[in-house]
Amino acid sequence: SDNIRIEFRGTKGADFESDISIDDVSVAEAVTTDLELTSIVEPANNISCFGPNETVTVELESEGATTVDFSVDTAVITLTVTGANTGQYFATLTTGTLAQFQTQNVTFMGVDLSVVGTSDLTFTVTINGDGNALNDTISGTFITQPVISTFPYLEDFEAGEGGWVAVGGNSSWAF
């Protein structure tokens, strides 16, 4: 049908918690093919003593109206690492299928996150005919801390933070 009706209803309450807001609403034709990167699955923690041979996993979801057949339409997921660590890694999906709203994990082996400091991991998926480029990229920031293997350990912070970070809502530590 060419007739579309969208209705938003809100119920007013007695205080500020009864507010309603609506933003970024759109009506569009369903796209046939649309792969979305939904989350970074692994590493589960973004602060750790990462090494030179890490396993990194991202979740991929099909948002298109039809099932994606990777033997027909190859998908390439690119992982770009910038910051303290740098590198580019590729995963190519050439077999299997992914139906609408199904997910699949894509794993990168041997990712080097060994340099102490902050690194940004950016994942991008490409496939022919992707109808929505807005959900093709996901990023996360990861902090590699130093491995302490000699004791006693001494950090004088003369050359920087030394891989230490302050986290949590009540942290009072600052460089």
Side-chain angles (χ1 to χ4, degrees):
S1 169
D2 289 333
N3 297 323
I4 297 173
R5 177 180 172 172
I6 299 175
E7 186 174 310
F8 300 97
R9 291 183 184 203
T11 304
K12 186 180 182 310
D15 61 17
F16 71 93
E17 292 180 342
S18 67
D19 292 346
I20 184 172
S21 63
I22 300 169
D23 193 10
D24 294 333
V25 175
S26 65
V27 177
E29 299 251 353
V31 295
T32 304
T33 303
D34 180 23
L35 293 180
E36 175 182 5
L37 293 170
T38 55
S39 66
I40 299 172
V41 177
E42 188 177 9
N45 296 318
N46 67 337
I47 302 174
S48 187
C49 298
F50 297 116
N53 197 23
E54 293 294 327
T55 300
V56 177
T57 303
V58 66
E59 184 180 75
L60 178 68
E61 182 174 347
S62 177
E63 293 287 325
T66 60
T67 297
V68 176
D69 183 347
F70 295 117
S71 66
V72 175
D73 292 310
T74 300
V76 177
I77 297 87
T78 305
L79 165 58
T80 304
V81 181
T82 57
N85 293 277
T86 60
Q88 196 165 47
Y89 306 85
F90 300 93
T92 304
L93 303 178
T94 58
T95 61
T97 61
L98 196 59
Q100 184 181 35
F101 305 129
Q102 282 188 328
T103 62
Q104 176 177 332
N105 285 348
V106 178
T107 300
F108 297 83
M109 305 296 288
V111 177
D112 186 358
L113 298 175
S114 62
V115 178
V116 172
T118 301
S119 299
D120 293 315
L121 279 62
T122 302
F123 300 85
T124 304
V125 60
T126 56
I127 189 169
N128 285 334
D130 192 317
N132 180 11
L134 297 176
N135 60 8
D136 292 349
T137 302
I138 191 170
S139 298
T141 299
F142 291 80
I143 300 170
T144 301
Q145 293 181 302
V147 175
I148 300 171
S149 58
T150 58
F151 299 97
Y153 171 76
L154 174 65
E155 174 59 63
D156 62 11
F157 300 104
E158 293 297 323
E161 292 95 347
W164 295 92
V165 295
V167 296
N170 295 320
S171 174
S172 62
W173 182 87
F175 175 68

